[in-house]
Amino acid sequence: MTTRIERVSYDDAIVRKFMFASILFGAVGLLVGLVIACQLAWPALNFGIPYTTFSRLRPLHTNAVIFAFVGNMMFAGVYYSTQRLLKVRMAHDGLSALHFWGWQLIIVAAAITLPLGITTSKEYAELEWPIDIAIAVIWVVFAINFFWTLAKRNEKHLYVAIWFYIATIVTVAVLHIVNSFALPLSPLKSYSAFAGVQDALVQWWYGHNAVAFFLTTPILGIMYYFLPKAAERPVYSYRLSIVHFWALVFMYIWAGPHHLLYTALPDWAQSIGMLFSLMLWAPSWGGMLNGLLTLRGAWNKVREEPVLKFFVAGVTFYGMATFEGPLLSIKSVSALGHYTDWIIGHVHGGALGWNGLMAAGLFYWLAPRLWDRPLHSKKAADAHFWLATIGIVLYMVSMWISGVNQGLMWRAQNPDGTLVYPSFVETLIAIRPMYIVRAIGGTLYLTGFVVMIWNLLKTAVGAKPINTTVDVTVTEDTAEEKAIGVGDVIAGRPLWFSVAAIAITCLFFYVDSTIAAVGLAIAVLVVGEVAYLLNKRMRAAGGASWFGIIERRPMAFTVLTLVAILIGGVAEILPIVLVKQAVPATGSAQKPYTALEQQGRDVYTREGCYVCHSQMIRPMVAEYLRYGEASRAEEFIYDHPFQWGSKRTGPDLHRIGGKYPSLWHYTHLMDPRSTSPGSNMPSYGWLQEGTIDAKLAPKKLALMQKLGVPYTNADIDGAEDSQRKQAATIVADLAKNNVTVAWNSEMVALIAYLQRLGRDQGIALTDDAPKTAAVTGGEN
């Protein structure tokens, strides 16, 4: 074995840049979040202009927190720890700079386009196709820089944190590319390549795993590096970290369908999502315990050091969120909690409790080392800790109370079977105090964040930024180590035992008897026990550890990680084909949208109506009584993208078509509280003056035709004329009530779309006006 000494100067400038960007955009994201929280309690704060409505600002808030705040924090932690774990400077300073500036330009593009209503309307993936391409390019730049650094490393052993970074880079790339498949209409507009059930499945395969592999795995990597560093203690259990990593990576990717319980998604797909979500309890809590037990014997230090306070609280919130997630994936619990504020509380417990507190701990730990100066004020950091912790607890508890209250009120029935609260607005009025408490909690959290900004600025101002230089000992591989090749990786017993266990587990989905299920469970346990005994015997004989082999080979490790996530990914993508075959695309009673309805649908998505309204009636008695017949898969076969929603701040709209006259919709959009006293919906008065681009309709229908929507060439050629004819019916109906509006106004197009929802034909292409009813008694 030969060794040599090499001097390495780490690139800490890139860490400082990502840290500053995270803090800046974090403040913006939290401020926007506080604004929209206040808008729910006080709707006047929407200000009556399109760019500041809740429905446009909410996607800005989520993207700012996820990709700008946590994303930049993640990159800061990855760049700092990777260089030290691999004992080498990042491979290329130019790639690091390109990654930084490219990511910030993407964030700025998002901050501009989302308030303008330029959106795909797919949650956590709202950015339009040119920005999606930019994300893919910059992510590849990051990946090249990271894996090039792995190739140049001076430390052959890959520490736990590196495993999680590899899983993040590989999986996020797969998720983003697949979910972003779309056909562009223009530089600022595209339509999802998937439709209806398929689009919903792909979206929540992406949405759930964006949480898993953007907000969880990289932060776990940061936890595994920085928490032991701050505690000055080794990780509690290296073996537990191995189990944690592989179980989490394999299981997480399957759990996406738990976001679609009781929807039109087939039951077997829902059950798979629920099953794997429940199994996630084990690896998630294994990681939490591994982090917390690392602090055994160091609790006095936790009381004294703000950094450790934030890390301990962050990991604890991770444990809470990963307990609550599987709990909400149980069908009976989901029936109560889905579409309610309970989900909002759960999400913020993860984003602000887990990610936010870990970010604060990271920044407080980094600042003294990046500027070679002690933290300006530990007392201010302690104050930040208590402000943030109390704030997020207030936020979560208020949303738990609000969500359970909503769920119970929605399903409450009188002895005669009628609804106790038939008006949706009654639930909004009941939970308004909780919206105020949430705003208070958000204010406390933001105040703590501002205290952190002041503290870090006082630490950095006047200090000289440093780039750490160290002498590292480089050990060359021995001949025996160099002789280990691909065959040794493929022949590893753990790999084949894992394959056998996975294969047996998959058979659970094809058995329908208890005896067979118990037999399969016993078989999995036997395989695991045999694998354990053989591994124990091999280690006693001094044999090389198979995992020790692959963790010294980044390519093999990356390929195996990719295989682990693709097993679940393919298992969720393949059902898309099966579901599509099960839903008739031609010859069904379902008809495509008319040209005017498609224009109105684009207005609907632009305004972010999906943020507050679902279009998915679940098969429950209370929902039937409130909304009508349960939604069916075939009703969405021409929806590019789907609009099922994930939160009901307003009522479900899937059967709204024909329920109210056009005058009601007009009045409701102009002044929601005139038809629905107590509503917190913004007014959309600008739709009356805004106009659709009538000449664009043929292009939209032609593009939909390419996506499989059965428009004929005659439909496309006559699109402009059909718009005018259908609009004339709505205009004439409104004129009877002394309302004057242009035929090509966005208001008319949106009314046409709303009147179509839930039925095969909306407003007829004639001058016969629909029956007029009193404009009273509506919902939110």
Side-chain angles (χ1 to χ4, degrees), residues 237 303 438 571 650 689 724:
S237 172
R303 285 193 291 269
R438 175 169 79 167
E689 303 301 326
R724 185 183 292 271

Side-chain angles (χ1 to χ4, degrees), residues 315-380:
V315 174
T316 302
F317 273 103
Y318 169 67
M320 292 169 61
T322 52
F323 172 82
E324 193 177 20
L327 175 67
L328 285 165
S329 300
I330 300 171
K331 285 190 173 183
S332 57
V333 180
S334 177
L336 173 69
H338 192 44
Y339 290 126
T340 74
D341 285 321
W342 186 353
I343 309 302
I344 305 303
H346 166 62
V347 169
H348 282 78
L352 300 184
W354 158 234
N355 296 144
L357 296 183
M358 289 295 292
L362 173 66
F363 297 153
Y364 283 129
W365 192 87
L366 284 176
R369 290 159 178 82
L370 295 176
W371 281 276
D372 195 24
R373 174 188 284 183
L375 184 67
H376 175 71
S377 173
K378 284 189 176 183
K379 289 184 178 179

Side-chain angles (χ1 to χ4, degrees), residues 326-635:
L327 175 67
L328 285 165
S329 300
I330 300 171
K331 285 190 173 183
S332 57
V333 180
S334 177
L336 173 69
H338 192 44
Y339 290 126
T340 74
D341 285 321
W342 186 353
I343 309 302
I344 305 303
H346 166 62
V347 169
H348 282 78
L352 300 184
W354 158 234
N355 296 144
L357 296 183
M358 289 295 292
L362 173 66
F363 297 153
Y364 283 129
W365 192 87
L366 284 176
R369 290 159 178 82
L370 295 176
W371 281 276
D372 195 24
R373 174 188 284 183
L375 184 67
H376 175 71
S377 173
K378 284 189 176 183
K379 289 184 178 179
D382 280 333
H384 173 201
F385 172 79
W386 289 110
L387 285 167
T389 303
I390 294 171
I392 192 58
V393 168
L394 281 176
Y395 193 114
M396 292 173 62
V397 171
S398 65
M399 290 298 94
W400 289 341
I401 295 171
S402 174
V404 173
N405 200 10
Q406 283 174 307
L408 293 175
M409 290 181 73
W410 291 347
R411 63 167 61 184
Q413 292 178 247
N414 293 306
D416 64 356
T418 58
L419 293 172
V420 175
Y421 306 101
S423 174
F424 190 93
V425 174
E426 293 177 275
T427 65
L428 286 177
I429 295 171
I431 64 177
R432 185 172 181 270
M434 292 300 100
Y435 282 161
I436 296 173
V437 173
R438 175 169 79 167
I440 294 171
T443 301
L444 289 175
Y445 195 95
L446 178 58
T447 302
F449 200 86
V450 172
V451 170
M452 181 189 72
I453 294 174
W454 169 82
N455 203 359
L456 294 178
L457 286 176
K458 292 290 286 185
T459 302
V461 171
K464 184 179 180 181
I466 62 169
N467 292 322
T468 304
T469 300
V470 297
D471 291 328
V472 301
T473 301
V474 181
T475 303
E476 302 293 339
D477 284 342
T478 63
E480 292 80 5
E481 290 171 332
K482 291 179 180 179
I484 297 174
V486 176
D488 297 280
V489 174
I490 296 175
R493 285 175 177 166
L495 176 63
W496 292 107
F497 276 111
S498 298
V499 170
I502 292 169
I504 295 171
T505 302
C506 290
L507 293 176
F508 274 103
F509 306 125
Y510 300 96
V511 300
D512 54 6
S513 74
T514 304
I515 295 177
V518 171
L520 290 175
I522 293 173
V524 171
L525 292 175
V526 168
V527 169
E529 184 64 20
V530 171
Y532 170 75
L533 293 174
L534 289 176
N535 183 61
K536 186 176 180 181
R537 178 185 297 178
M538 182 183 69
R539 291 177 66 86
S545 164
W546 179 78
F547 188 80
I549 293 173
I550 65 167
E551 72 169 345
R552 293 170 65 90
R553 284 156 178 76
M555 183 59 70
F557 193 96
T558 302
V559 170
L560 289 172
T561 302
L562 178 62
V563 170
I565 65 107
L566 285 181
I567 290 172
V570 170
E572 294 209 354
I573 295 300
L574 282 181
I576 294 174
V577 178
L578 301 177
V579 170
K580 191 168 185 178
Q581 291 173 347
V583 178
T586 59
S588 73
Q590 192 68 20
K591 297 180 178 63
Y593 296 109
T594 66
L596 184 64
E597 291 161 0
Q598 182 61 52
Q599 296 270 35
R601 192 173 199 272
D602 289 341
V603 174
Y604 182 94
T605 57
R606 183 195 72 193
E607 296 301 333
C609 301
Y610 68 93
V611 170
C612 294
H613 294 283
S614 60
Q615 289 186 31
M616 174 52 60
I617 303 172
R618 297 177 294 175
M620 302 168 185
V621 173
E623 298 225 352
Y624 173 81
L625 294 173
R626 188 179 300 277
Y627 302 121
E629 182 185 356
S631 303
R632 303 183 303 276
E634 65 269 18
E635 296 181 276

Side-chain angles (χ1 to χ4, degrees), residues 706-722:
K706 293 178 181 178
L707 289 171
V709 181
Y711 289 115
T712 65
N713 291 337
D715 293 331
I716 296 171
D717 294 338
E720 288 189 54
D721 186 50
S722 72

